[in-house]
Amino acid sequence: MFSLRLFQALGIAVILALPALFITTNVRVAFQSQTIYNYAIDAFDAPERTGVERAELVKGMAGLIDYFESDDDLITTEIIVNGISEPLFTEREAIHFRDVRDLLQRTYFVQTVAIVIMLGILAAAAVAAARGRPDLAAIVFRRIRQTAVWTVVAIIGIGLFAALGGFDFLFLQFHLLSFSNDLWQGTADDRMIQLFPQMFFLQGTLLIGFAAIVEMGVAWAGATVSLRGLEPSKAPEDGG
């Protein structure tokens, strides 16, 4: 049941599952956080840009959060503008947000799969250690430490590239790969552009990356403590 080859395979699975777990979790938290949306309203002067009162924009953002968690076809949230109720977004914008919602649902599926995989890997490591094979469990924890370091290096590299002027390229490529239409290319008169300027996405991306760096630090520390707990057993090299 417990073989070196199996745990080497589990170690490889860590390389994919651990970054996917943290990044998708951070994306989910960000898209479900009213605080993040309120920041977009205040930091980029959305009331002035849209001509809509802040309270109505906050209400509209809450409706967008609810929509992202729903199975509704299109977002139907309405706000009051100059005493008249009207849709928060145009039909074109609403269709784009449906595409965003579908992309988020796929992201959340990846999160669920990553959670299951990581829990399974950690459970296998715990059982192996309990049954007298701490050498196999150590393979998993070494791979977690390696993955944490590699991921932090990658995030810092991408973050520096984005912060130093490469975000326009990354932003464009992400949208071309993620969406099959050009509805994301709004104009300055569209509320989705007024509410979510490109600088907001740069800041949000950097925040998600920073959170992942912190989480990888915690994972590295946890794996280090676990490895020390397995001593003095000597784990076989797994090529990593």
Side-chain angles (χ1 to χ4, degrees), residues 34 37-38 57-67 77 88:
Q34 183 73 49
Y37 291 87
N38 290 350
L57 291 177
V58 171
K59 182 181 72 173
M61 293 298 202
L64 185 58
I65 294 173
D66 291 340
Y67 172 72
T77 299
L88 175 61

Side-chain angles (χ1 to χ4, degrees), residues 10-40:
L10 293 179
I12 293 173
V14 167
I15 298 174
L16 298 176
L18 189 62
L21 169 60
F22 289 146
I23 292 173
T24 57
T25 298
N26 295 340
V27 169
R28 187 166 199 161
V29 170
F31 273 86
Q32 293 179 346
S33 171
Q34 183 73 49
T35 300
I36 297 294
Y37 291 87
N38 290 350
Y39 171 80

Side-chain angles (χ1 to χ4, degrees), residues 36 69 91 168 177 183:
I36 297 294
E69 298 298 311
E91 183 178 6
D168 288 350
L177 292 172
L183 297 178

Side-chain angles (χ1 to χ4, degrees), residues 6 40 43 48 61 94 101 113 115 118 131 135 140 142 151 160 163 166 184 206 220 224 231 233-234:
L6 170 62
E48 178 68 23
M61 293 298 202
R101 191 267 314 275
V113 172
I115 289 173
M118 284 307 303
R131 294 189 177 183
D135 56 322
V140 168
R142 284 205 308 270
T151 303
L160 287 175
W184 57 274
L206 293 176
W220 185 92
T224 298
E231 292 176 349
S233 299
K234 192 73 172 179

